[in-house]
Amino acid sequence: MKRQLLVLLIVVATIQVSFAAVTVTGRVCDKSNGKPMEYATVRASSLPDSTFVSGCITEPSGSFALQLEKGRYVLEFQYMGFVTAFKDVTLDGSKGIVDIGKVSLAPDHQMLNEVDVVAEKSTYEMTLDKRVFNVGKDVGNTAGNAIEVLENIPAVSVDVEGNVSLRGDDGVRILIDGKESGLSGMSTQDALRTLQGDMIERIEVITNPSVRYDAEGSAGIINIILKKDKRQGFNGTVNVRGGYPWQYGASLSANYRLKRWNLFASYGFNNRSNVGGGINRTKRFGIYDHDTIVGGTFFASGDTVFNQLTDQTTERRMRRMGHNVRVGADYYITDNDIVSAAFVFRYGTLETHPVVKYYDEYPLLGTSTYDERAEDYEETDPMYEVTLDYDKKFDREGRSLKANVRFFTNTEKSSSDITEKLYPNPSMEQVLGEIYQKTGNDQSMRNLQANIDYVHPFLTKAQWEIGAKYTKRDIGSVSFVEERDGDGSYYPLSDYCYDYEYKEQVAALYTSLGNDWGRWSGQVGVRAEMTDIYTNLKGYAHDGTDSINGGKPFIDFFPSAHLNYSVNENNQFQVSYTRRIRRPGFWQMSPFRSYNDNRNIRMGNPALKPTYMDSYELGYIHFWDKASFNFTAYYRHGNNMIRNYTFEDDGVFYSMPVNFGKADDFGIEAVAQGQMTKWWNLNGNVNFFRSYTRGYIEEQYYETESWMLFGRMVSKFKVSSWFDLQLTAHVMGPHKEPLGMRDGNWWMDLAVSKEILNGNGTITFNVRDLFNSRSWGGESWGDGFWQYSTSTWNRRSFSLNFNYRINQQNLKRNRPEGEGGGDDNGGEESQSEEMY
């Protein structure tokens, strides 16, 4: 297989394609002042059928260049807020370059008046290989955090604990500005909760990434692009928010562009509290190995008997506080050479006070007990990050060189005090016993990344891309649990004390080749990654080395292929294939997470192996004037799938991830959006798939077929000129697992926004989980037990947000989505990704 992929790589790099083409050049200017217009859209359609052929955007000088074959064309020039211009061109092939001169666009005053209403509305932009969600001010995202913004993205699901999944697979890679960041490092859920929605410009969802991106993430990539402006002068935003349960916060962002310098900074503070909890019912069964009498009842050898029922309730009060600081600068050495530097600091604290109550009944003995366990937990987690980027463009259109170095470090320190009391019944009139315990955990992560990417156009519309990346990550975690004895001294519980280290190095090299043949376009490439993972676990019931691969590096090849066909500018098809990997995350491998419930303990598994996924997609997208529809059929085949396994040991239930076996998923997904009327916008998505899994857990073979449905509908209403109203409905169907069943779930959110201060300010009111219906639950079973549990992380909440924009009138004109973004290899997306 590896030899075949190497042959494919050589073939890809040596393909030769030739065209008899003509380069059409020109310059677009503002008719009112004669200034060049950057980012104007130029579209070429063939005559007489007006079929879309090619397009581009203008440079800072207003110039453009299009590669067209001989024939008759109509060129269309567009810019938001200006009257569209057209120009007919006939190319006979006698000249290699045809200059059509200056094209002037006149302002559309009527349209500019209308833009005041829709300038920053949240919108979806769908392409065949990517979906872009532009975070606007009308959906209430400014009052929420990154987790709440992700809940509004098609195909993305977020459970009550903040775990993110894409098309039902939680093996999704979350990037910040196209790169792995300290903001989404050791504890992704906690970091995303401290990242405020008003700091996010857009979110990109890529289900079948090309080889330019890291192969990590079996489900795909979610890329969160933070705000950074590059317009001349000063502009900024101010946000203030508050809500119930008790929450308040503020954020400031500013951007200043002067000649060759672009300076940007942002600060966000958030303090949130919530109340959650859950229930758990457990039935235990025993099998007698000999005849016996219990409570006056005779049981024969081999009989199964129900011997204990436990009703457990958990109440949790939580308070989370976070500060985010981001400062940076871009320096334009020349118009084609840009150096950027940025510094990020995040400091977060967490206080939580769970109270777990157990009521145990023993039906054979006719007795019961009541147990109450309370914990006071505190955590701090500072993070530092430094990045340095270099971006070079060449005279030839599409040729570029990008380089990036990034370093970040996370630390997390936590401690808790636990008190447990045992009573004969819930009246708590008599204390039968008391237990006092302490826990502590000290974790740290250091991450270094460096990468370089080069794009080289050749022939007419072909592009060759090559790049390399190196990542080094070191994680350490030391944890202990202590219990007080009768003399008041504390001694360690050795089964829960450990010193764990994780070291990972990944070196990658990739190359790809793409071309455009009129209505057809395609890209094919191969990424090679050498991985070296070492884990060492001391304590936790044993000492010594427990390494995934014994410290020996291994090499994997990850090919990808994308082929597009444009029937016309309104109908497009794509077929794609990618191979990806899901390396176990730190939390999946860390020995255990929490001790507040000492009867149900969630553990990690240091011996987890990576999951490999082959993904195939067939997509179709159709555009109308005010609507679009995207349909995708997909198939995924995975090996070494990771599933959760629950088992009982001496009255304690342990839940841990294990390598299960194989999985085959086949699904269909539909995403639609449209402006139904002037006052009503509707968009939604539905995902339906079948998952067939089979494998072994503890030498027991399991085979499961499960069907799953989840979807979302967002309805936006403009109520005259008074305010905007949005209702969002979420639904997730039940599904089976090898040793359990997950319940279905539904919930609704409400948002109302009002423009004030001549359009410079916005007030937004949000209600999350309008009917207080959101929960997470299901049942699981194993040898000698059955469990059902349901929980909620945060109940219904209300929030009010005020946003004020300074010198942002220019936002009323569209800018291309490549501005300010990035990809997984350190910079803004190259034109090859936009083409294919």
Side-chain angles (χ1 to χ4, degrees):
M1 178 64 179
K2 294 181 180 180
R3 181 177 298 174
Q4 293 173 341
L5 291 174
L6 286 173
V7 172
L8 174 63
L9 182 61
I10 296 173
V11 172
V12 168
T14 56
I15 292 177
Q16 299 292 315
V17 184
S18 64
F19 291 92
V22 179
T23 301
V24 179
T25 63
R27 195 161 64 97
V28 180
C29 298
D30 187 336
K31 188 175 182 178
S32 64
N33 55 29
K35 293 183 178 180
M37 299 181 68
E38 183 182 5
Y39 301 132
T41 301
V42 184
R43 296 163 56 88
S45 300
S46 62
L47 292 175
D49 57 357
S50 297
T51 300
F52 173 75
V53 176
S54 183
C56 66
I57 59 175
T58 57
E59 295 293 322
S61 62
S63 61
F64 67 90
L66 280 174
Q67 303 292 332
L68 301 173
E69 299 179 42
K70 292 190 300 181
R72 294 176 55 227
Y73 300 91
V74 57
L75 302 184
E76 181 179 355
F77 304 88
Q78 294 180 333
Y79 198 93
M80 175 65 87
F82 286 74
V83 178
T84 300
F86 299 89
K87 189 176 185 64
D88 291 344
V89 176
T90 299
L91 307 176
D92 57 13
S94 60
K95 297 181 179 180
I97 299 177
V98 174
D99 187 359
I100 66 170
K102 183 171 70 172
V103 178
S104 298
L105 301 185
D108 186 341
H109 299 288
Q110 180 179 0
M111 187 174 183
L112 285 175
N113 291 334
E114 295 174 352
V115 169
D116 287 338
V117 177
V118 299
E120 294 182 37
K121 300 299 183 185
S122 299
T123 59
Y124 294 119
E125 295 186 13
M126 297 184 294
T127 63
L128 287 168
D129 60 345
K130 180 193 302 182
R131 296 191 193 108
V132 179
F133 180 75
N134 298 301
V135 179
K137 61 178 180 291
D138 64 322
V139 294
N141 290 319
T142 53
N145 53 45
I147 288 288
E148 293 168 348
V149 175
L150 288 172
E151 291 176 351
N152 291 307
I153 309 300
V156 177
S157 300
V158 184
D159 67 21
V160 294
E161 295 184 355
N163 299 304
V164 180
S165 60
L166 182 59
R167 289 178 176 172
D169 186 350
D170 60 358
V172 59
R173 183 83 181 278
I174 297 180
L175 306 175
I176 307 293
D177 285 336
K179 312 167 190 71
E180 182 182 358
S181 169
L183 288 174
S184 61
M186 196 157 53
S187 180
T188 303
Q189 299 94 326
D190 291 344
L192 294 179
R193 286 189 178 99
T194 64
L195 181 61
Q196 294 307 300
D198 56 85
M199 299 174 65
I200 300 172
E201 177 178 318
R202 70 182 187 272
I203 294 178
E204 300 173 343
V205 177
I206 308 170
T207 54
N208 251 13
S210 68
V211 295
R212 180 193 310 135
Y213 296 89
D214 282 349
E216 176 66 42
S218 59
I221 292 171
I222 295 176
N223 187 18
I224 300 175
I225 306 297
L226 302 181
K227 291 180 178 178
K228 184 175 71 171
D229 210 313
K230 294 184 179 180
R231 290 168 296 149
Q232 292 288 340
F234 175 81
N235 62 85
T237 60
V238 179
N239 276 272
V240 180
R241 54 190 163 270
Y244 176 83
W246 185 245
Q247 56 179 289
Y248 57 91
S251 64
L252 306 149
S253 64
N255 200 96
Y256 183 65
R257 174 74 185 273
L258 179 64
K259 295 182 179 179
R260 296 194 175 277
W261 286 95
N262 182 65
L263 308 176
F264 55 91
S266 62
Y267 167 73
F269 167 75
N270 189 55
N271 193 320
R272 298 170 67 100
S273 62
N274 59 55
V275 178
I279 62 172
N280 186 308
R281 167 163 280 207
T282 303
K283 293 182 178 180
R284 290 182 173 87
F285 303 90
I287 300 178
Y288 291 104
D289 55 5
H290 60 277
D291 296 346
T292 187
I293 298 176
V294 179
T297 304
F298 173 78
F299 295 95
S301 177
D303 283 350
T304 299
V305 61
F306 167 44
N307 54 30
Q308 184 179 345
L309 171 66
T310 300
D311 282 322
Q312 175 183 333
T313 62
T314 301
E315 299 176 355
R316 181 185 302 107
R317 292 180 294 108
M318 182 179 297
R319 179 177 176 270
R320 191 185 306 274
M321 183 273 290
H323 298 266
N324 274 293
V325 178
R326 182 171 178 255
V327 296
D330 306 315
Y331 178 66
Y332 292 73
I333 304 172
T334 68
D335 290 341
N336 294 326
D337 293 84
I338 306 172
V339 176
S340 302
F343 172 76
V344 177
F345 170 71
R346 175 174 65 86
Y347 181 81
T349 63
L350 172 65
E351 297 178 4
T352 181
H353 306 281
V355 177
V356 187
K357 303 175 182 178
Y358 312 91
Y359 181 64
D360 299 302
E361 294 185 70
Y362 304 92
L364 295 180
L365 302 177
T367 61
S368 64
T369 59
Y370 178 76
D371 199 356
E372 188 169 292
R373 184 177 176 87
E375 179 182 25
D376 292 321
Y377 177 91
E378 295 182 352
E379 176 186 306
T380 60
D381 53 349
M383 185 280 298
Y384 304 87
E385 177 178 318
V386 179
T387 63
L388 182 64
D389 292 90
Y390 173 68
D391 187 352
K392 180 176 179 59
K393 296 180 181 178
F394 298 84
D395 292 337
R396 180 165 182 175
E397 180 76 17
R399 186 184 177 195
S400 66
L401 175 68
K402 301 175 187 290
N404 167 267
V405 177
R406 172 174 297 213
F407 174 79
F408 62 87
T409 177
N410 289 68
T411 59
E412 182 179 296
K413 294 185 178 182
S414 62
S415 62
S416 68
D417 292 300
I418 302 173
T419 302
E420 183 175 359
K421 295 183 179 182
L422 179 64
Y423 306 91
N425 53 61
S427 64
M428 297 187 294
E429 296 175 353
Q430 178 184 1
V431 178
L432 301 180
E434 293 180 302
I435 298 176
Y436 298 94
Q437 296 172 328
K438 291 183 177 181
T439 73
N441 184 257
D442 190 352
Q443 299 174 358
S444 62
M445 177 173 69
R446 297 167 62 88
N447 193 308
L448 174 66
Q449 301 174 16
N451 55 271
I452 186 169
D453 302 272
Y454 175 69
V455 180
H456 185 80
F458 64 98
L459 300 177
T460 305
K461 297 182 181 180
Q463 282 195 139
W464 174 56
E465 188 171 353
I466 188 170
K469 181 176 181 178
Y470 172 75
T471 301
K472 186 177 187 298
R473 181 167 57 153
D474 294 336
I475 302 177
S477 180
V478 178
S479 184
F480 70 87
V481 177
E482 297 178 336
E483 186 171 318
R484 194 171 75 180
D485 59 21
D487 297 330
S489 301
Y490 282 86
Y491 63 94
L493 302 180
S494 58
D495 285 350
Y496 302 100
C497 300
Y498 64 86
D499 182 352
Y500 172 64
E501 62 177 328
Y502 175 94
K503 296 182 179 182
E504 174 188 287
Q505 296 185 83
V506 179
L509 177 67
Y510 81 91
T511 185
S512 67
L513 185 72
N515 211 332
D516 190 333
W517 304 272
R519 294 186 178 182
W520 292 89
S521 62
Q523 183 187 57
V524 62
V526 174
R527 185 182 186 94
E529 292 190 351
M530 181 178 71
T531 305
D532 185 12
I533 299 177
Y534 172 81
T535 63
N536 186 31
L537 176 61
K538 297 180 179 180
Y540 197 60
H542 73 275
D543 292 331
T545 299
D546 187 2
S547 181
I548 290 177
N549 60 2
K552 299 178 181 179
F554 58 92
I555 299 177
D556 285 308
F557 290 90
F558 301 95
S560 75
H562 295 75
L563 181 64
N564 294 2
Y565 175 67
S566 296
V567 180
N568 50 50
E569 63 177 314
N570 294 325
N571 294 274
Q572 300 176 36
F573 290 89
Q574 184 193 66
V575 60
S576 62
Y577 162 75
T578 61
R579 182 172 187 259
R580 301 190 61 77
I581 188 174
R582 179 187 180 184
R583 300 178 181 90
F586 170 75
W587 282 112
Q588 290 181 303
M589 303 182 69
S590 183
F592 88 96
R593 304 184 188 179
S594 174
Y595 197 63
N596 69 281
D597 179 2
N598 62 345
R599 299 196 192 184
N600 297 276
I601 295 177
R602 290 188 298 174
M603 306 166 51
N605 183 357
L608 279 178
K609 297 180 180 179
T611 294
Y612 293 92
M613 184 73 71
D614 292 277
S615 178
Y616 306 81
E617 288 191 9
L618 174 62
Y620 166 74
I621 188 169
H622 180 84
F623 295 97
W624 292 275
D625 289 341
K626 297 182 179 181
S628 60
F629 174 74
N630 184 205
F631 177 83
T632 305
Y634 59 91
Y635 166 71
R636 302 181 303 206
H637 174 76
N639 290 298
N640 278 344
M641 300 302 295
I642 297 175
R643 292 292 186 268
N644 206 51
Y645 170 51
T646 301
F647 62 94
E648 182 183 14
D649 184 13
D650 196 22
V652 179
F653 290 95
Y654 297 92
S655 179
M656 63 183 296
V658 297
N659 287 113
F660 174 67
K662 298 181 179 180
D664 290 286
D665 297 341
F666 174 79
I668 55 176
E669 181 182 56
V671 181
Q673 61 170 333
Q675 191 71 38
M676 313 304 293
T677 67
K678 290 183 178 180
W679 52 270
W680 183 25
N681 180 279
L682 189 66
N683 68 73
N685 70 282
V686 62
N687 197 309
F688 180 68
F689 69 92
R690 167 191 175 269
S691 181
Y692 173 56
T693 59
R694 62 268 187 208
Y696 290 87
I697 298 178
E698 296 292 322
E699 300 183 353
Q700 176 68 42
Y701 181 75
Y702 296 94
E703 186 174 348
T704 305
E705 183 179 22
S706 178
W707 298 83
M708 187 171 180
L709 171 73
F710 56 88
R712 178 185 297 105
M713 182 68 70
V714 182
S715 190
K716 306 175 187 176
F717 305 91
K718 182 167 186 61
V719 185
S720 185
S721 59
W722 300 344
F723 59 85
D724 293 345
L725 172 68
Q726 176 176 304
L727 285 172
T728 305
H730 310 254
V731 61
M732 181 177 294
H735 67 279
K736 294 180 181 178
E737 295 182 350
L739 284 170
M741 171 74 76
R742 296 292 96 188
D743 290 342
N745 192 18
W746 70 273
W747 68 98
M748 290 188 67
D749 300 325
L750 169 70
V752 180
S753 65
K754 168 69 175 175
E755 298 292 319
I756 59 175
L757 302 176
N758 297 320
N760 291 318
T762 306
I763 294 178
T764 307
F765 175 70
N766 279 276
V767 184
R768 299 281 178 179
D769 194 6
L770 183 63
F771 298 104
N772 216 24
S773 60
R774 190 178 186 188
S775 62
W776 180 258
E779 56 183 306
S780 59
W781 51 80
D783 291 338
F785 75 91
W786 171 91
Q787 278 190 332
Y788 176 81
S789 63
T790 181
S791 64
T792 178
W793 199 254
N794 191 14
R795 300 187 178 120
R796 179 172 49 223
S797 63
F798 306 86
S799 62
L800 184 66
N801 182 83
F802 170 69
N803 172 268
Y804 182 73
R805 297 171 293 281
I806 305 170
N807 294 334
Q808 297 215 14
Q809 289 80 9
N810 287 339
L811 285 178
K812 297 171 183 176
R813 299 177 180 177
N814 280 349
R815 291 179 298 142
E817 288 311 313
E819 181 82 17
D823 57 46
D824 193 33
N825 290 286
E828 299 176 1
E829 293 187 40
S830 67
Q831 292 189 1
S832 62
E833 188 70 6
E834 296 172 0
M835 182 184 299
Y836 308 119

